């Protein structure tokens, strides 16, 4: 059974940093792109970042470029998101989502339950 | 990376059909065949329903169908059922390894 589970959310002050992790199981992790998608309270979905199966390619939404870094450890089946210089507008539930393919056509077939990040003083 | 445009709400009675639109540009929806649709219940993670414009994910009822014309994609739910009441989001590949979501549509079954 495919499972993805996020961790690491919490309350952080503006300008601070936080590292999210996602543990994956039930599939050949290195064969699929992985994504981070966020949803601000009461708002819609926003794609944040994705990383290729090998980890050699990482891509970001303009809203987080230069502040967030995505990475993966294929030996441990884990995905991370390092978030720096956090702003109030980064407050959201962050989802880890498995890509359906080994490249990103935008389809994500398995999602974790999400982890809440709150940026507030 | 502007969000795709969806109507905020849509509704229909049980058994009826409803169509949700998703409008983008030639740089996203109109330029690629990679439009996906997600269903999300309150407090839950999204679920992939449709990919590549019109292909249903395994287990999704054939009451759900997708299509595209020009810069607008559509999700049609036929034979509406109470369990279809949820939020629906479209997404599209937008070139240069970018993805974009729509703002979401709240579907109400009257």
């Amino acid at each position: 059974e495919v499972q993805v589970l996020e961790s690491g959310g919490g309350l952080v002050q503006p300008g601070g940093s936080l590292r999210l992790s996602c543990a994956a199981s039930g599939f050949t992790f290195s064969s699929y792109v992985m994504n981070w998608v966020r949803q601000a309270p009461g708002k819609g979905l926003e794609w944040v970042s994705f990383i290729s199966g090998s980890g050699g390619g990482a891509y970001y939404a303009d809203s987080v470029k230069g502040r967030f870094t995505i990475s993966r450890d294929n030996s441990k089946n884990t995905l991370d998101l390092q978030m720096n210089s956090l702003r109030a507008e980064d407050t959201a539930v962050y989802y880890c989502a498995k890509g359906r393919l080994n490249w990103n056509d935008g389809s994500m077939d398995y999602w974790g339950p999400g982890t809440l990040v709150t940026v507030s003083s | 990376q502007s969000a795709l445009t969806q109507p905020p709400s849509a509704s229909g009675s049980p058994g009826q059909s409803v169509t949700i639109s998703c409008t983008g540009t030639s740089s996203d929806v109109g330029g690629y065949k990679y439009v996906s649709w997600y269903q999300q219940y309150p407090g839950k993670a999204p679920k992939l329903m449709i990919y590549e414009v019109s292909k249903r994910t395994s287990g999704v009822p054939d009451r759900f169908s997708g299509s595209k014309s020009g810069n607008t994609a559509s999700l049609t739910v036929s034979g509406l059922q109470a369990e279809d009441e949820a939020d629906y989001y479209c997404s599209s590949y937008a070139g240069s390894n970018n993805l974009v979501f729509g703002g979401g549509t709240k579907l109400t079954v009257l």
Side-chain angles (χ1 to χ4, degrees):
Chain A
E1 179 189 7
V2 173
Q3 290 189 330
V4 292
L5 182 63
E6 308 89 344
S7 62
L11 175 63
V12 60
Q13 293 188 339
S17 298
L18 203 62
R19 190 176 186 90
L20 305 183
S21 292
C22 171
S25 61
F27 62 101
T28 305
F29 185 67
S30 61
S31 294
Y32 297 93
V33 303
M34 293 296 295
N35 294 267
W36 288 100
V37 176
R38 69 185 180 184
Q39 187 169 33
K43 302 297 184 181
L45 301 173
E46 179 187 15
W47 171 72
V48 172
S49 178
F50 84 84
I51 188 168
S52 65
S54 67
Y59 306 92
Y60 304 90
D62 287 346
S63 58
V64 305
K65 200 171 295 183
R67 301 188 298 124
F68 290 12
T69 302
I70 191 172
S71 61
R72 65 191 296 161
D73 185 335
N74 287 344
S75 68
K76 297 180 180 178
N77 289 2
T78 57
L79 174 75
D80 288 341
L81 185 69
Q82 176 66 42
M83 304 186 294
N84 298 330
S85 303
L86 283 162
R87 308 166 179 166
E89 53 264 37
D90 295 318
T91 294
V93 173
Y94 284 73
Y95 294 103
C96 167
K98 170 189 170 291
R100 188 180 59 85
L101 303 171
N102 61 2
W103 71 278
N104 208 350
D105 70 342
S107 59
M108 306 171 208
D109 54 0
Y110 289 92
W111 296 60
T115 187
L116 176 62
V117 172
T118 302
V119 184
S120 175
S121 55
Chain B
Q1 293 177 344
S2 299
L4 306 176
T5 300
Q6 296 183 235
S9 62
S11 63
S13 299
Q16 290 186 332
S17 294
V18 63
T19 296
I20 298 170
S21 62
C22 169
T23 302
T25 69
S26 58
S27 297
D28 38 62
V29 174
Y32 304 94
K33 64 175 182 177
Y34 303 116
V35 175
S36 301
W37 288 91
Y38 297 86
Q39 177 190 62
Q40 185 182 35
Y41 292 113
K44 300 296 186 181
K47 172 187 175 183
L48 178 66
M49 304 293 282
I50 300 283
Y51 62 93
E52 291 182 13
V53 176
S54 60
K55 298 179 180 179
R56 280 186 300 276
T57 304
S58 175
V60 171
D62 60 7
R63 303 184 293 102
F64 291 84
S65 62
S67 62
K68 189 184 82 162
S69 177
N71 296 338
T72 299
S74 299
L75 174 71
T76 298
V77 186
S78 305
L80 269 175
Q81 299 183 4
E83 69 223 43
D84 300 333
E85 184 162 298
D87 294 327
Y88 291 85
Y89 293 89
C90 61
S91 74
S92 175
Y93 181 70
S96 301
N97 293 299
N98 288 311
L99 302 176
V100 62
F101 279 95
T105 298
K106 181 178 180 60
L107 175 60
T108 300
V109 180
L110 301 171

